[in-house]
Amino acid sequence: MRRKVILVTGAAGEIGTALIEQLLQQGISDILSLDIRPLPPSLQSKVIHTVGDICDRALLERIVSEYEIDTIYHLAALLSTRAEFTPEAAHRVNVEGTLGLLQIASDQSDWRGKPVLFIFPSSVAIYGLPDLSTKAQFPRVREWEWNYPRTMYGSNKLYCEMLGVYYSKYYRQLAVERPIMVDFRSVRFPGLISAFTVPSGGTSDYGPEMLHAAAQKKSYACFVREDTRIPFMAMPDAINALLKLAAAPVERLSRRVYNVTSFSLSAGEFREWVLRSFPDAEITFEPDLRRQAIVDSWPEDMNDNDARRDWGWQPEYNLERSFLEYLVPNIQRRYQKY
Ligand code: SER
């Protein structure tokens, strides 16, 4: 018999480490994690970790021969800024990597006669508003509006959402005997902010970077204009969204891809919040016009009514709680020596 596991890809990343910690806290320890990097030392002895590339088919096949995969949290991705430097490599990881995992999930579903649950974080980056006046006119986008991403990462995420829907509804639709479909579910996250890790390679990174720099008494030059407004969410809510969507009864889901968000604020307001707790912080604005253009194409806010209605989504950390109860105290502790 193969051991039944939850597979987490991108396990050493920001969402991955937070998700694994939460799963362990809930007493779930049959976790197989995969990443091109080792896990942080605090997690190393607690899960089965494989260092490897999600694009390595031989590795994925070996994993399937050894484990029965019940659920996949497919978190591995190259984020929006990094992907612009190596678009083809991003496509390989973000799209081909996802396709390989969907295939494995599909084979496993068929083999065991029960759908594999496939949870996929998508992003605000799948939206693309053409200019600032349109951005102002459509401040709270619905899932089907403005799906015109202008980055490789956003395009990859949007297409993978579609692939996921295809694998959960139409895969091998002309075959005489239809296989068991994958149970694909996805949330579109806003910019995520963790107190314990600093993101790398994203374009919403100016928020968390500002905060982590202030706690280390380092000056920070924000790469977008003060009036730039996008939605954000504290990491515990992101993990909560993934777990809640995974636990929702399938008959409650009216869609496979949901917006989820918590609070929206401008970069200037972000600075004000940082200054409340770190009054000596030196934060200036030096927009990088190319990264600015990417953030300008993202909406100010996302309408997450469907997630609230279908599976009871509700952020626990609004703006105030995020800063005062989660981010600031934990970040202060983390950088205490400064
Ligand atoms: N935080 C991500 C990025 O900036 C968006 O999903 O790329």
Side-chain angles (χ1 to χ4, degrees):
M1 280 288 280
R2 297 175 307 168
R3 182 166 165 196
K4 200 193 262 191
V5 290
I6 292 177
L7 173 63
V8 181
T9 73
E14 280 208 288
I15 307 178
T17 48
L19 174 68
I20 291 174
E21 271 162 17
Q22 187 58 33
L23 288 170
L24 290 170
Q25 257 181 36
Q26 294 182 355
I28 300 167
S29 57
D30 287 326
I31 301 169
L32 174 63
S33 58
L34 177 60
D35 201 294
I36 45 170
R37 296 166 293 173
L39 284 182
S42 61
L43 293 178
Q44 270 167 13
S45 60
K46 300 189 179 142
V47 300
I48 318 156
H49 187 61
T50 304
V51 174
D53 186 341
I54 52 160
C55 297
D56 180 348
R57 293 290 167 108
L59 171 66
L60 294 186
E61 274 159 29
R62 206 185 72 221
I63 287 177
V64 176
S65 73
E66 277 180 50
Y67 300 97
E68 179 187 334
I69 299 167
D70 186 61
T71 303
I72 301 178
Y73 288 91
H74 174 37
L75 314 176
L78 257 67
L79 294 185
S80 57
T81 289
R82 182 160 305 158
E84 290 310 308
F85 290 102
T86 54
E88 291 77 19
H91 190 278
R92 226 170 10 255
V93 173
N94 296 350
V95 175
E96 291 172 35
T98 303
L99 182 69
L101 282 157
L102 282 166
Q103 269 172 357
I104 280 191
S106 178
D107 291 348
Q108 287 267 302
S109 301
D110 218 27
W111 182 85
R112 63 188 205 141
K114 196 164 103 187
V116 167
L117 183 57
F118 195 107
I119 304 293
F120 181 68
S122 185
S123 163
V124 65
I126 71 92
Y127 294 105
L129 295 139
D131 47 52
L132 288 176
S133 74
T134 316
K135 177 164 169 159
Q137 222 181 314
F138 294 89
R140 199 159 169 259
V141 293
R142 298 298 310 258
E143 279 85 352
W144 57 87
E145 293 176 321
W146 300 105
N147 289 178
Y148 308 116
R150 60 177 286 158
T151 59
M152 177 53 100
Y153 170 76
S155 308
N156 294 162
K157 285 285 183 188
L158 184 59
Y159 175 55
C160 287
E161 291 176 1
M162 292 175 181
L163 277 180
V165 172
Y166 171 77
Y167 271 84
S168 63
K169 279 187 170 165
Y170 309 116
Y171 185 56
R172 300 225 161 109
Q173 55 192 302
L174 299 184
V176 180
E177 259 184 68
R178 299 288 302 282
I180 302 280
M181 299 288 153
V182 174
D183 186 353
F184 175 87
R185 307 175 182 197
S186 176
V187 278
R188 287 182 187 154
F189 281 135
L192 300 182
I193 320 170
S194 168
F196 303 102
T197 50
V198 188
S200 66
T203 321
S204 59
D205 294 4
Y206 61 88
E209 282 173 0
M210 211 185 271
L211 191 51
H212 283 264
Q216 295 169 78
K217 298 198 180 355
K218 290 183 185 161
S219 60
Y220 182 72
C222 178
F223 59 79
V224 295
R225 286 186 319 268
E226 244 180 295
D227 67 335
T228 306
R229 184 179 295 272
I230 58 164
F232 285 97
M233 183 186 283
M235 190 57 82
D237 272 334
I239 303 307
N240 191 21
L242 293 174
L243 296 175
K244 235 177 144 76
L245 178 60
V250 70
E251 60 279 5
R252 297 286 302 275
L253 306 183
S254 63
R255 44 191 322 113
R256 292 272 163 186
V257 180
Y258 289 90
N259 284 347
V260 287
T261 191
S262 183
F263 52 88
S264 289
L265 79 175
S266 70
E269 288 162 353
F270 208 114
R271 175 176 180 271
E272 293 302 314
W273 273 93
V274 172
L275 286 174
R276 283 192 201 189
S277 302
F278 302 99
D280 300 330
E282 276 176 48
I283 301 166
T284 53
F285 291 89
E286 291 174 27
D288 168 336
L289 297 185
R290 287 166 298 187
R291 290 179 99 185
Q292 177 74 58
I294 292 176
V295 190
D296 281 344
S297 77
W298 294 352
E300 286 185 5
D301 196 1
M302 295 190 283
N303 182 322
D304 59 3
N305 287 358
D306 283 6
R308 289 171 185 262
R309 182 198 60 216
D310 288 359
W311 43 277
W313 157 248
Q314 206 184 346
E316 282 171 20
Y317 293 88
N318 60 12
L319 174 58
E320 193 167 328
R321 275 200 78 199
S322 291
F323 273 86
L324 301 184
E325 291 181 33
Y326 166 67
L327 292 168
V328 170
N330 285 310
I331 287 180
Q332 268 168 340
R333 254 194 302 279
R334 175 179 171 172
Y335 299 114
Q336 227 155 28
K337 61 180 190 324
Y338 290 90

